[in-house]
Amino acid sequence: MTRHASFSTSHFFNQDMAEAYDQRNSGLKPISDSLHFLMALLLKDLPRDARALCVGVGTGAEILSLAKAFPDWTFVGVDPSAEMLSVGRHRLEQARVLDRCELIHGYADAVTETGFDVVVTLLVAHFIKRDDRPAFYAALHDRLKSGGRLVSAEISCDLEGAEFPAMLEDWKSIQTLMGATPESLGKLEDMLRSVLGVVPPSETEAMWQAAGFPLPVPFFQAFMIRGWHAARR
């Protein structure tokens, strides 16, 4: 039985933000390069002709990275923002990998195909409210074949932990690289608490286990950005 869920994240990404997204995040390239490098290492033993689903594909960065590392893979990318998907389609076309891709406007439940070798969702989960997160992870699980892999990274932090104030100051450094103003930095804590669905790492791991991934394995941390991988039973 496939579990379905939809998640209201598209309002974060209008046309202006979609077009400026890659430039705005260019200061974080060392972090994204490291994340993509480690992701490729994790997935090097998948079949040569693996089929990958990228949830929250955005401007196509994950597909571009994986397509370069694995020339025989094919991809499905899904995103609720038509504006982001348009930018992504253009980038994939420019890189001459669009013929290996199917792009879908919508959420994970818009993808009717199952049996993927891997599902990748990077810097997406924190846009999903806490109450919707279990259904989100379950939907990813249900689109994998037995033994298929999930790779995910998200903003994750214990907002009530003793280390949070110091981590917030570290995170302000990241946001400054991305062009944050003093005004937006002043609202950053409220954004993490009230707008985004940031949860502690232990809660993310518990939700993965409840969705059917018996052993979430941490593989990445850069300030509040944390990554895990796991295999479906």
Side-chain angles (χ1 to χ4, degrees), residues 48-211:
R48 179 177 176 179
D49 60 348
R51 184 80 164 154
L53 170 62
C54 294
V55 175
V57 67
T59 61
E62 284 72 57
I63 289 182
L64 290 169
S65 177
L66 290 170
K68 182 178 180 180
F70 305 106
D72 296 310
W73 282 25
T74 57
F75 303 90
V76 174
V78 62
D79 200 286
S81 168
E83 293 83 2
M84 293 286 279
L85 209 58
S86 176
V87 174
R89 183 181 299 277
H90 179 66
R91 289 188 70 199
L92 294 169
E93 185 175 28
Q94 283 186 317
R96 299 184 179 180
V97 297
L98 188 58
D99 61 337
R100 295 161 57 190
C101 306
E102 176 187 356
L103 299 181
I104 298 172
H105 179 217
Y107 300 92
D109 61 356
V111 180
T112 57
E113 181 180 347
T114 59
F116 285 94
D117 295 284
V118 59
V119 172
V120 173
T121 181
L122 300 186
L123 304 181
V124 172
H126 52 260
F127 289 108
I128 299 165
K129 293 295 186 182
R130 177 188 249 115
D131 290 347
D132 292 329
R133 293 280 281 281
F136 173 71
Y137 294 127
L140 306 185
H141 171 276
D142 292 345
R143 281 153 182 82
L144 286 165
K145 69 181 184 181
S146 179
R149 306 284 292 282
L150 171 63
V151 179
S152 177
E154 64 188 64
I155 298 173
S156 177
C157 178
D158 183 356
L159 300 178
E160 308 307 324
E163 73 280 9
F164 173 67
M167 293 189 75
L168 179 63
E169 292 306 309
D170 293 340
W171 194 243
K172 287 180 180 180
S173 298
I174 290 285
Q175 296 299 305
T176 299
L177 280 178
M178 298 170 66
T181 64
E183 182 182 8
S184 63
L185 289 176
K187 297 177 180 177
L188 186 56
E189 181 173 355
D190 184 64
M191 168 72 76
L192 295 170
R193 290 184 179 278
S194 304
V195 180
L196 300 180
V198 175
V199 301
S202 59
E203 189 169 342
T204 290
E205 292 174 4
M207 287 190 282
W208 280 42
Q209 290 169 333

